[in-house]
Amino acid sequence: MPELFEKAFNYNEAKMAKMMGYYPYYRPLTNAIGPVTEMEGKLRIMLGSNNYMGVTDHPKVRQAAKDAIDQYGTGNTGSRFLNGTLDLHLELEEKLAKFEDKGGCITFTTGFQVNLGVIQSITQKGDVIISDAFNHASIVDGCRLSKAEVRAYAHNNMEDLERILKEIPKDTGKLIISDGVFSMEGDLANVPEMVDLAEKYEARVMIDDAHGVGYMGPKGQSTPHHFGVQDKVDIISGTFSKSFGSVGGFAAAHEDVIDYMQHHARSLIFSASMAPSQTATVLAALEVIIDGDDMRRQLLRNAARLRDGLSGIGFNTGDSETPIVPVIIGDEMQTFALWKYLYEAGVYTNPVRAPAVPPGKELLRTSVMATHTDDHIDRAVGIFETVGKQMDLI
Ligand SMILES: Cc1ncc(COP(=O)(O)O)c(C=O)c1O
């Protein structure tokens, strides 16, 4: 009889990496995620978080979460569809719809569930989804749940997107989907050309701006707002697990499209809603973000300092234009070794291997927060320089 667990019993890759001291995952933090964070008994400069606006430690945001527990308790014990809708969810959705300049908004319990629910509900058999080859795993899985045909275009390549659009019959429903800020490389989707193509070939556009909402655009609305084309992007979505310092996610669109999702998105209807403290956190974080011009400026200054610092000492930082700064190594073992030596020297980064990046493009993903100081960044760059030279990488 075949043994179902054979693959697990024979899986040794992680065990080997642990034995050799190269295993980077599931490392516990023992305090709030900030510019410097305690991990495994040592303070380390945190260059591996998505806390771009630094709100997780904001006094107003922390207090809002505590107050919500006092008023509403710890959880909603049901889905938005039934007993899990709080007045807080409705307030948040109304504010986010306004923030994104759309007729309606719906919140989900995670950003991952946004993509599962939105894509599954709004596309059907006979439609075609045209998706960037570098899109996040949750978009890929949302496409798998959809009954529509899925076509991938080369990363951010508008010629390839047009080639595919041309091949699709005119009267077919089409949805172009892309990350706004790409999560591994920190580059921006070419939203202006994308919406022009969408207009030309009568396609709808969805931008998942999980990594851009909070600091892209004049008030942090998103990458479509940064380019001034928000009215031409049909669905703007994002998560609360990054700049909003919580968990959850949202999609904003025409009110009829939101109404349809509310009644057809399975990851929404069959999953419990965002807890009171999470929802209150996001409401408070939204206020901080709207008033956050200074923090946004500081974040972009910090990003430029880190990018210039790392490229100045000889590392390849790719095409990043955002607080996500990749350090492209192009070899898996060297990437993991660099991660280990940096970690031991007091800098936390995220090693990224295939399939999250194409083979040969292995990288350390670094990212900054608005709350990093020049000293944090300069010290981190100094450690990169020492370790990079020791390893003959620069
Ligand atoms: C583009 C994109 N979409 C969705 C998600 C999932 O978000 P969450 O962590 O809130 O589930 C991520 C997470 O990294 C992401 O990068």
Side-chain angles (χ1 to χ4, degrees):
M1 195 178 72
E3 166 54 85
L4 182 79
F5 288 168
E6 194 177 326
K7 54 191 167 294
F9 297 145
N10 292 334
Y11 176 66
N12 291 318
E13 201 184 344
K15 294 182 194 94
M16 292 286 290
K18 278 180 199 169
M19 259 168 49
M20 292 163 64
Y22 288 106
Y23 185 74
Y25 307 121
Y26 299 100
R27 302 264 175 172
L29 278 70
T30 37
N31 64 1
I33 189 136
V36 178
T37 299
E38 188 179 293
M39 295 179 80
E40 300 184 285
K42 184 168 171 175
L43 288 176
R44 300 172 205 268
I45 299 171
M46 174 49 71
L47 293 187
S49 102
N50 302 309
N51 188 17
Y52 303 115
M53 293 290 279
V55 304
T56 52
D57 216 16
H58 194 289
K60 194 169 142 187
V61 178
R62 276 182 176 243
Q63 192 58 48
K66 289 178 190 162
D67 292 347
I69 291 179
D70 287 344
Q71 185 175 347
Y72 297 91
T74 54
N76 302 321
T77 74
S79 111
R80 289 295 310 281
F81 199 60
L82 298 170
N83 64 302
T85 290
L86 301 177
D87 53 358
L88 290 181
H89 293 122
L90 301 183
E91 183 186 343
L92 176 59
E93 287 165 356
E94 201 181 313
K95 288 186 171 161
L96 281 171
K98 213 163 138 205
F99 184 60
E100 294 298 350
D101 256 339
K102 296 288 171 199
C105 175
I106 180 75
T107 54
F108 291 69
T109 311
T110 66
F112 204 104
Q113 284 170 264
V114 173
N115 284 323
L116 300 187
V118 168
I119 301 170
Q120 162 265 318
S121 62
I122 209 66
T123 60
Q124 59 185 15
K125 197 168 169 21
D127 295 339
V128 181
I129 300 169
I130 313 105
S131 174
D132 188 291
F134 280 18
N135 275 343
H136 187 257
S138 54
I139 297 180
V140 175
D141 286 5
C143 291
R144 284 182 182 147
L145 281 181
S146 164
K147 296 195 169 66
E149 183 192 342
V150 183
R151 310 263 321 251
Y153 62 93
H155 174 52
N156 224 359
N157 183 328
M158 295 300 111
E159 277 172 25
D160 200 36
L161 173 60
E162 179 157 27
R163 177 188 65 78
I164 295 174
L165 285 166
K166 264 188 196 154
E167 290 173 8
I168 304 170
K170 200 172 174 336
D171 57 354
T172 304
K174 306 172 205 70
L175 179 65
I176 302 168
I177 306 185
S178 175
D179 287 20
V181 171
F182 284 90
S183 54
M184 295 300 145
E185 290 79 4
D187 52 334
L188 297 180
N190 188 345
V191 191
E193 273 191 46
M194 193 183 298
V195 295
D196 284 350
L197 288 174
E199 220 162 78
K200 185 167 166 194
Y201 294 95
E202 297 180 358
R204 296 288 184 183
V205 177
M206 171 174 175
I207 297 293
D208 171 8
D209 213 14
H211 288 271
V213 175
Y215 65 86
M216 290 298 292
K219 288 285 163 193
Q221 300 98 317
S222 65
T223 300
H225 288 257
H226 163 80
F227 286 118
V229 295
Q230 64 275 13
D231 53 331
K232 296 186 173 159
V233 175
D234 302 284
I235 304 171
I236 299 178
S237 62
T239 83
F240 304 136
S241 62
K242 305 183 197 305
S243 285
F244 287 87
S246 183
V247 284
F250 72 92
H254 188 283
E255 55 273 28
D256 289 345
V257 173
I258 296 300
D259 184 65
Y260 187 82
M261 288 173 191
Q262 281 179 330
H263 298 95
H264 294 85
R266 291 165 64 83
S267 63
L268 174 78
I269 295 169
F270 297 103
S271 185
S273 59
M274 278 171 73
S277 57
Q278 296 165 345
T279 318
T281 295
V282 178
L283 270 165
L286 180 60
E287 281 180 23
V288 172
I289 284 170
I290 290 171
D291 292 339
D293 292 350
D294 288 346
M295 285 166 76
R296 262 185 290 284
R297 271 194 287 274
Q298 187 58 43
L299 175 64
L300 298 180
R301 262 199 300 271
N302 287 352
R305 193 173 187 95
L306 180 65
R307 199 179 312 119
D308 294 349
L310 290 172
S311 60
I313 56 174
F315 282 108
N316 174 5
T317 54
D319 299 324
S320 164
E321 297 179 64
T322 65
I324 301 169
V325 182
V327 177
I328 301 166
I329 304 298
D331 175 87
E332 188 170 314
M333 266 323 287
Q334 279 191 328
T335 302
F336 281 84
L338 177 60
W339 172 84
K340 174 181 149 72
Y341 297 134
L342 289 170
Y343 188 72
E344 286 170 356
V347 179
Y348 180 86
T349 59
N350 289 311
V352 185
R353 57 187 281 203
V357 288
K361 292 276 180 200
E362 290 80 4
L363 55 88
L364 285 186
R365 176 191 186 275
T366 70
S367 52
V368 275
M369 309 174 202
T371 45
H372 275 114
T373 61
D374 288 355
D375 179 57
H376 294 141
I377 296 170
D378 295 348
R379 268 196 288 144
V381 171
I383 293 171
F384 259 96
E385 186 170 20
T386 307
V387 173
K389 281 185 176 154
Q390 276 164 1
M391 288 180 65
D392 251 348
L393 292 173
I394 50 174

